[in-house]
Amino acid sequence: MDSYGTLNTVLVTLFRDVLEIEQKALAISEFQDLTNNDMHVIEAIGMDDPKNMSTIAKSLSVTVGTLTIAMNSLVKKGYVLRERGEADRRVVYISLSEKGKAAYRHHEGFHQEMIQDVMASLTEEELQVLTKALTVLTQWFQKKKKC
């Protein structure tokens, strides 16, 4: 197979496998009620200060309406807390509950294991080449998102 075909196969397989393995990691944990989409929302909320819906929606490249549907589900499941702003009661701030923080840490552990295993199998030079290649790929996706 030529370089184009190999790269195409690797990228398509990689994207599919990451989503599938992330879902399996959730399915065998205490977070079985979460979907990959739920986990990405939890990741976007993060462990830091509460965020408003617009900020989270922008980071996920979705509308506030779309995010509201996911947020309602996460609140109902006990992963997310909603609070009205004190200065402006129209603003809703989102943060993770203790259960949400536990899910965040679980998912973060999955990512750490993945990165550590990849890094352990590469030389420093290979790691630099991989990092550069993935940075170029990320930039391509960022450019496509703006179209």
Side-chain angles (χ1 to χ4, degrees):
M1 191 181 300
D2 64 343
S3 294
Y4 175 89
T6 301
L7 190 55
N8 184 61
T9 300
V10 167
L11 289 175
V12 169
T13 303
L14 177 66
F15 291 131
R16 184 187 63 234
D17 287 352
V18 166
L19 292 175
E20 182 181 326
I21 292 167
E22 279 186 325
Q23 189 62 51
K24 283 181 183 176
L26 289 171
I28 60 171
S29 72
E30 67 268 30
F31 309 109
Q32 295 176 19
D33 58 341
L34 290 175
T35 65
N36 276 347
N37 187 54
D38 290 337
M39 200 60 243
H40 292 141
V41 173
I42 288 171
E43 197 172 35
I45 296 167
M47 299 280 277
D48 300 323
D49 295 330
K51 295 178 180 166
N52 64 40
M53 291 284 285
S54 297
T55 301
I56 299 165
K58 185 176 181 181
S59 74
L60 293 168
S61 299
V62 299
T63 66
V64 172
T66 298
L67 180 61
T68 299
I69 295 166
M71 210 56 75
N72 289 341
S73 173
L74 288 169
V75 168
K76 188 183 288 187
K77 293 175 186 179
Y79 290 96
V80 170
L81 303 171
R82 279 187 176 124
E83 292 182 48
R84 295 258 175 216
E86 291 196 20
D88 184 347
R89 303 286 298 156
R90 295 173 296 176
V91 179
V92 177
Y93 290 99
I94 306 297
S95 61
L96 297 179
S97 65
E98 288 306 313
K99 186 177 179 182
K101 290 176 182 177
Y104 182 96
R105 286 189 293 272
H106 173 77
H107 190 66
E108 186 177 48
F110 169 82
H111 282 241
Q112 286 176 348
E113 179 185 351
M114 176 180 60
I115 299 302
Q116 287 171 350
D117 285 356
V118 168
M119 290 177 70
S121 64
L122 298 174
T123 66
E124 187 59 38
E125 183 179 316
E126 291 168 330
L127 189 55
Q128 288 176 7
V129 170
L130 177 61
T131 301
K132 181 176 180 182
L134 292 176
T135 299
V136 168
L137 184 61
T138 299
Q139 290 167 347
W140 184 86
F141 278 112
Q142 295 299 313
K143 192 168 41 174
K144 284 293 185 186
K145 276 174 51 173
K146 293 177 184 176
C147 294

